[in-house]
Amino acid sequence: MKTKLLSKLLLSACLAAPMAMTAHAAEETYEMRVGNITSNDAQERSGQIFIDLVEKKSGGKIKGKLYSGGSLGSNDEVMRGLRLGSIQGNINPSGYLSQFVAQAGVLTLPWLFPGKNAEEQIENITNIMEGQAGDKIKELADERGFHVVSLFGLGPNQIYLREYDKSKSVMENLQDKRIRTIGGQEHTQTVNDWGARAIHMSLPEVYTSIQQGVLDGFDLPAAVTVRLKYHEQAPNVLLTNHIVLTQYIAVSKAWYDSLPDDLKKTVDEAGKETEALGTQEYVDEQNEALNLLASNDKFTVIELTDADRAALQKLNKEGVWAEVAKNPAKAEMLKLLEEDIKKLAK
């Protein structure tokens, strides 16, 4: 009797084990930590929109959390973590992606994307990124360890200065100024072409650096500037709109590859849906910030004359644009992008 009873118990245990393993597999969840360097702005909201969509579409199998204000480290540190898989997601301007995917730097060439105002420029980028250049950038990013799920318009950059001499031209005011720029060779060279000195610095350090005179100014979209209150330390706004930023959302390729196929599809679909929602977030925020700057007497908004703009454009065409043309891989990307602009821009 004891032998038969033992046999039955062993058989029951063997039958129950696969069922327990199946139940465990069905309940398995995946962590998705997403790094964001800004806070209380459209970039933060777009990152949260992506996370919410992923959680909803995955039925809670992917649990996401947004870490804003650089709480996971600097942009460079987050990008390294993304490649390793220790951080699962990141939202940022494409200049940071270009440090690993050089061809993505073409997206930050000055005077590239068309549009008469911020709204048109932002919407144009989102449309243009549907083309062959956007597909190529995603393919190259995958090879470098970043799975890009979103590419959409963020907004035009302006130059903000601590001091501005109205008796001098725009070009004279820019000479030798130490200006913090977004990461990436094209951002850096754009400012250097004008005779200023581009400084690479983590965003949270900018406010204090301007306050202490370490920086003379910075290069950012109006919305980011106003939300972080950086304009309080650099109240002179040059409405250059020279670089119109492209936003990306990327997840770690190592993490993405570890997901079941249905969850990979979920992440991709959530990224795609975020593009339209994120675009509208940026349009609304940029317009609000620009109106605030223009209506407040504490800030001096300097409109560029046609001569000023032509002078800056000429220097960039002879500088950063010429450098891109010398690089075969970047030149090919620029060709694809210009074809997409002709087809897809409004």
Side-chain angles (χ1 to χ4, degrees):
M1 290 291 291
K2 289 183 179 179
T3 303
K4 288 183 178 180
L5 180 59
L6 181 60
S7 297
K8 286 182 180 180
L9 290 172
L10 288 172
L11 179 60
S12 298
C14 290
L15 290 173
M19 294 175 65
M21 290 175 65
T22 302
H24 175 73
E27 295 170 1
E28 185 174 3
T29 60
Y30 297 84
E31 180 184 35
M32 186 177 72
R33 298 191 306 156
V34 180
N36 171 46
I37 201 69
T38 66
S39 60
N40 192 31
D41 64 353
Q43 182 164 297
E44 181 180 66
R45 292 194 297 276
S46 297
Q48 190 60 55
I49 286 170
F50 171 64
I51 288 171
D52 292 344
L53 285 168
V54 168
E55 289 189 341
K56 181 179 179 181
K57 288 176 175 291
S58 71
K61 292 179 183 177
I62 298 177
K63 302 290 187 183
K65 184 174 180 180
L66 186 66
Y67 292 82
S68 288
S71 55
L72 288 181
S74 68
N75 281 318
D76 292 341
E77 290 168 334
V78 169
M79 293 298 282
R80 288 195 292 271
L82 212 62
R83 293 187 86 182
L84 294 171
S86 58
I87 296 172
Q88 292 74 45
N90 178 230
I91 179 168
N92 244 324
S94 61
Y96 293 101
L97 183 62
S98 72
Q99 297 176 67
F100 300 89
V101 182
Q103 293 90 329
V106 176
L107 299 178
T108 62
L109 276 173
W111 326 106
L112 174 64
F113 292 108
K116 296 189 295 291
N117 52 47
E119 182 171 355
E120 287 187 8
Q121 290 172 320
I122 293 168
E123 291 179 350
N124 271 331
I125 287 181
T126 302
N127 291 336
I128 291 161
M129 288 298 98
E130 294 286 334
Q132 54 191 345
D135 289 344
K136 186 65 175 177
I137 286 169
K138 290 178 181 178
E139 176 188 326
L140 293 168
D142 255 37
E143 295 172 2
R144 305 296 193 278
F146 309 100
H147 184 69
V148 175
V149 296
S150 298
L151 283 170
F152 53 100
L154 190 164
N157 274 15
Q158 289 82 37
I159 299 292
Y160 298 79
L161 297 175
R162 291 178 69 216
E163 298 177 356
Y164 187 85
D165 188 341
K166 293 182 179 179
S167 69
K168 297 180 179 179
S169 69
V170 167
M171 191 70 72
E172 289 172 325
N173 272 283
L174 288 170
Q175 296 307 298
D176 295 321
K177 292 293 191 298
R178 296 159 296 180
I179 296 176
R180 185 268 182 187
T181 67
I182 290 173
Q185 181 180 342
E186 283 71 23
H187 275 281
T188 298
Q189 190 172 350
T190 294
V191 169
N192 288 342
D193 285 343
W194 302 338
R197 294 162 52 196
I199 305 294
H200 184 54
M201 178 183 292
S202 183
L203 189 60
E205 300 173 29
V206 172
Y207 188 97
T208 303
S209 295
I210 297 173
Q211 190 177 48
Q212 296 175 347
V214 175
L215 292 175
D216 298 306
F218 55 88
D219 167 22
L220 278 176
V224 177
T225 303
V226 169
R227 291 290 179 185
L228 296 177
K229 302 186 184 300
Y230 286 1
H231 58 301
E232 295 176 353
Q233 298 301 323
N236 301 288
V237 188
L238 302 184
L239 291 182
T240 51
N241 297 334
H242 54 291
I243 292 175
V244 190
L245 299 181
T246 303
Q247 184 79 70
Y248 73 83
I249 299 176
V251 297
S252 164
K253 183 68 163 52
W255 175 79
Y256 179 84
D257 287 345
S258 74
L259 299 175
D261 287 344
D262 62 326
L263 294 186
K264 289 179 183 176
K265 183 179 179 182
T266 288
V267 172
D268 289 334
E269 288 178 350
K272 193 64 185 172
E273 288 185 28
T274 303
E275 291 178 355
L277 298 170
T279 294
Q280 191 57 52
E281 285 282 345
Y282 282 116
V283 167
D284 294 343
E285 189 175 63
Q286 296 296 343
N287 285 337
E288 178 185 348
L290 288 168
N291 290 336
L292 183 150
L293 291 170
S295 62
N296 195 320
D297 292 339
K298 292 181 180 179
F299 312 113
T300 302
V301 177
I302 299 107
E303 295 272 2
L304 269 64
T305 65
D306 290 343
D308 287 330
R309 193 174 304 278
L312 295 177
Q313 289 175 341
K314 182 175 184 295
L315 288 170
N316 288 146
K317 287 290 184 179
E318 294 172 351
V320 64
W321 277 73
E323 285 301 312
V324 165
K326 293 177 186 177
N327 182 309
K330 289 185 178 181
E332 179 60 27
M333 179 60 70
L334 179 57
K335 180 182 176 183
L336 295 178
L337 192 54
E338 288 180 320
E339 290 173 359
D340 290 339
I341 289 172
K342 288 180 181 178
K343 292 176 186 175
L344 300 170
K346 291 182 178 180

